[in-house]
Amino acid sequence: MNPLRLAQLEMFCAVVEEGTVVAASRRLNCVASNVTARLRELELLVGQDLFLREKNRLILTPEGRLFYRQALPVVSGAHSLTDLFSEGSPRGILNIGALDVALEAYLPQIVPEFLKVCPGVELKMFLRPSYTLERMLVDGEIDLALTDGPIVHPLMESRFAFHERLALAMPAGQDGARDGQHVFLFNTDCFYRRYFETWLERHGVSNAIIHTVESYDVILACVQAGLGISCVPHSIILQMQSRCDEGITFTYPEDLKGSDVYFIWRDPGLNALGRRFLDHAFANVDADEK
């Protein structure tokens, strides 16, 4: 069965609304014979007579009334699509993936003002670990990512966004990481986990019992209870300061320097909405974040 065409539906609705084929042809700026032919094709396709034909009159059948009710929103929706981007204001759905530190401390400075100047843009923001974000970019699932960088990849470009400090979180009174103690970290696809595991090895901490816990609330609760240590981004500590003032010691070892967080996008270029978001970000972040 051949699919229905929009032109057939447009002509059908025009005939219903104008009352005659001739009036519909004037409205659609085409010859009457073309309208008649399209109506015949449409009736053959749906297997129903949509009009009763009496001399020069066309009268809707019960089936025709039902078909008009179903066809009208399709035609109206198709017409509205042609005007979707005609207002001048940017429109679209922009997919952005980010690390938790970017969502907590960086993007709150940017997103509200961006949506004020681009109210027609729908944002979809995803919290994902570093290596998942890279995969999502390569697969085209997101337009922009905020993740650890810079990334050396033939299919990606990047630009520095901000620096994230890392803190060693220990039970109050403990003065350093200890051999064989419990460690609470995010999953293995988290950049900070691999970074901290390397740091522990460098400091001779072996036989550590590493727990995978994807919640900073739970991680800090375990540290606060004296059960072990963790590595926590500074921005997360600032967000949770009121809940972890007591029972935890945060230190910033010189060789636990943290990481630079970058905007990452696919090469050879960023789409127009992504570029607008990127430009807005660098125009509106605090000076000390640049």
Side-chain angles (χ1 to χ4, degrees):
M1 178 178 178
N2 294 324
L4 295 175
R5 290 181 290 174
L6 180 60
Q8 295 168 330
L9 300 181
E10 286 179 319
M11 290 181 182
F12 169 76
C13 290
V15 170
V16 173
E17 292 159 6
E18 298 295 331
T20 67
V21 168
V22 172
S25 67
R26 292 196 190 103
R27 172 172 141 184
L28 297 172
N29 195 28
C30 65
V31 297
S33 60
N34 189 26
V35 176
T36 300
R38 298 294 84 76
L39 290 182
R40 289 295 187 186
E41 289 175 358
L42 184 60
E43 289 177 316
L44 287 173
L45 282 171
V46 301
Q48 294 289 338
D49 289 329
L50 301 177
F51 295 98
L52 291 175
R53 291 164 172 83
E54 296 181 357
K55 296 183 179 179
N56 293 326
R57 297 178 60 200
L58 290 177
I59 301 172
L60 272 176
T61 63
E63 295 82 2
R65 295 190 197 101
L66 175 62
F67 192 82
Y68 176 70
R69 189 175 73 182
Q70 299 294 103
L72 185 59
V74 175
V75 173
S76 299
H79 288 167
S80 68
L81 286 176
T82 62
D83 300 324
L84 188 60
F85 303 104
S86 63
E87 297 177 2
S89 178
R91 301 194 68 179
I93 300 173
L94 185 62
N95 293 340
I96 299 175
L99 298 175
D100 48 8
V101 294
L103 284 170
E104 291 286 347
Y106 184 75
L107 289 175
Q109 302 179 64
I110 298 165
V111 171
E113 291 302 318
F114 175 79
L115 292 178
K116 285 180 183 178
V117 298
C118 299
V121 176
E122 178 183 335
L123 283 181
K124 290 190 175 181
M125 311 197 83
F126 305 92
L127 171 62
R128 297 290 188 274
S130 305
Y131 302 103
T132 301
L133 291 173
E134 293 176 32
R135 192 270 306 162
M136 292 176 75
L137 270 177
V138 171
D139 292 346
E141 297 176 27
I142 55 177
D143 305 295
L144 266 176
L146 269 164
T147 186
D148 305 286
I151 290 179
V152 179
H153 194 291
L155 300 178
M156 296 186 195
E157 295 181 14
S158 62
R159 181 175 175 182
F160 175 78
F162 66 97
H163 180 76
E164 180 61 46
R165 298 169 64 199
L166 291 178
L168 176 61
M170 301 174 291
Q174 185 171 325
D175 58 2
R178 298 171 182 169
D179 193 33
Q181 79 177 137
H182 293 249
V183 179
F184 300 90
L185 297 171
F186 267 60
N187 210 342
T188 53
D189 56 359
C190 174
F191 173 82
Y192 295 138
R193 173 172 178 144
R194 299 189 183 186
Y195 186 89
F196 192 58
E197 287 176 339
T198 302
W199 185 88
L200 289 172
E201 292 175 5
R202 194 163 60 245
H203 283 259
V205 178
S206 59
N207 302 316
I209 301 171
I210 298 180
H211 301 273
T212 299
V213 182
E214 296 198 343
S215 164
Y216 283 115
D217 290 278
V218 176
I219 286 173
L220 291 174
C222 290
V223 175
Q224 199 167 31
L227 298 176
I229 64 172
S230 185
C231 171
V232 182
H234 180 67
S235 60
I236 299 297
I237 296 171
L238 293 178
Q239 295 291 323
M240 305 176 65
Q241 196 71 57
S242 61
R243 285 173 281 172
C244 57
D245 274 342
E246 298 179 359
I248 302 179
T249 297
F250 294 106
T251 64
Y252 295 86
E254 188 64 29
D255 59 344
L256 191 63
K257 296 180 179 180
S259 67
D260 291 334
V261 178
Y262 279 69
F263 277 106
I264 311 291
W265 62 91
R266 290 186 305 280
D267 188 40
L270 186 59
N271 58 57
L273 276 184
R275 175 62 61 184
R276 183 179 287 266
F277 186 89
L278 192 65
D279 292 342
H280 178 86
F282 287 101
N284 288 276
V285 293
D286 293 339
D288 61 353
E289 292 286 352
K290 294 183 179 180

